[in-house]
Amino acid sequence: MGFVYEKLNQCLQAIREKTNFKPKVALVLGSGLGNYADTIQIECSISYDEIEGFPISTVQGHKGRFVFGYVEKVPVVIMQGRVHYYEGYSMEDVVLPIRLMKLLGAETLLLTNAAGGVNETFQVGDFMIITDQISSFVPSPLIGENIEQLGTRFPDMSHIYDVELQHTIKECGKQLQISMKEGVYLQFTGPAYESPSEIRMAKILGADAVGMSTACEAIVANHMGMKIGGISFISNMASGIGTQPLSHEEVKLEADKKEKIFQQLVHNVISML
Ligand code: HPA
């Protein structure tokens, strides 16, 4: 057994010693959405530091735990705080929690994040349904010996984000009268925000929003055959498009302003799964 798969199984065992909960849906909470986990019917929660070998998030404002529970009748596992590549973890570690949630039973993955708007028709406060992604600026999490138990060596990536799920998100947005955009998410490594020239490049390449997470997670989830949905909250216009200097405080502030409606959106989407 390869090292990565062995570590994954150790983490799985550590969780199984604490709970037998079998989630159907996995949810990753991005900036500003972290409190959503406290609003569901919680059955059990496990701090990341209780799981030996688990990468622990160091970003301010990110709590690190798995929350198991129900959204309406749907059994879910929530990552309250994700792991970012810029924290210094290897890509295998960054995506380990996603693989773990699949091994726990989750067949559907809903990814959320805060992102910078590149598409000039977007506004701060918009939500974007992720239709596709560009991950070419971060190392592939699938580099290294393929874990055959999880998926194939050369997985197809032509439909990473499930079309039906995109439709569900759109419908839920409509019901809540939210301004829903659609577009391509591009992942940079961070932690620095981009330069205006990098954002011009991202735009030329076809990106509508940029961030520092998500795409690598979607790659491993797709490798394992999960059904994936993604929602970006446009917390700021990207460098050179907006006039303000970018800061994590601004990202959090804007995300906090829309927290309740983002929570409602995610809640309604999951209830329909
Ligand atoms: N760039 C990268 N990541 C981000 C941004 C941004 O402008 N906003 C929120 N996350």
Side-chain angles (χ1 to χ4, degrees), residues 114-117 188 192-194 199 210-212 235-239 246 251:
F188 283 122
Y193 289 111
E194 300 73 27
I199 293 303
V210 295
M212 305 176 193
S235 57
N236 57 281
M237 291 313 286
S239 173
L246 304 186
V251 168

Side-chain angles (χ1 to χ4, degrees), residues 73-86:
K73 295 247 157 17
V74 184
V76 297
V77 53
I78 301 181
M79 274 191 87
Q80 195 172 23
R82 58 151 57 89
V83 184
H84 299 86
Y85 184 57
Y86 61 72

Side-chain angles (χ1 to χ4, degrees), residues 43-56:
E43 293 292 312
C44 160
S45 76
I46 301 175
S47 261
Y48 298 155
D49 59 15
E50 292 175 62
I51 309 166
E52 202 185 319
F54 196 93
I56 296 173

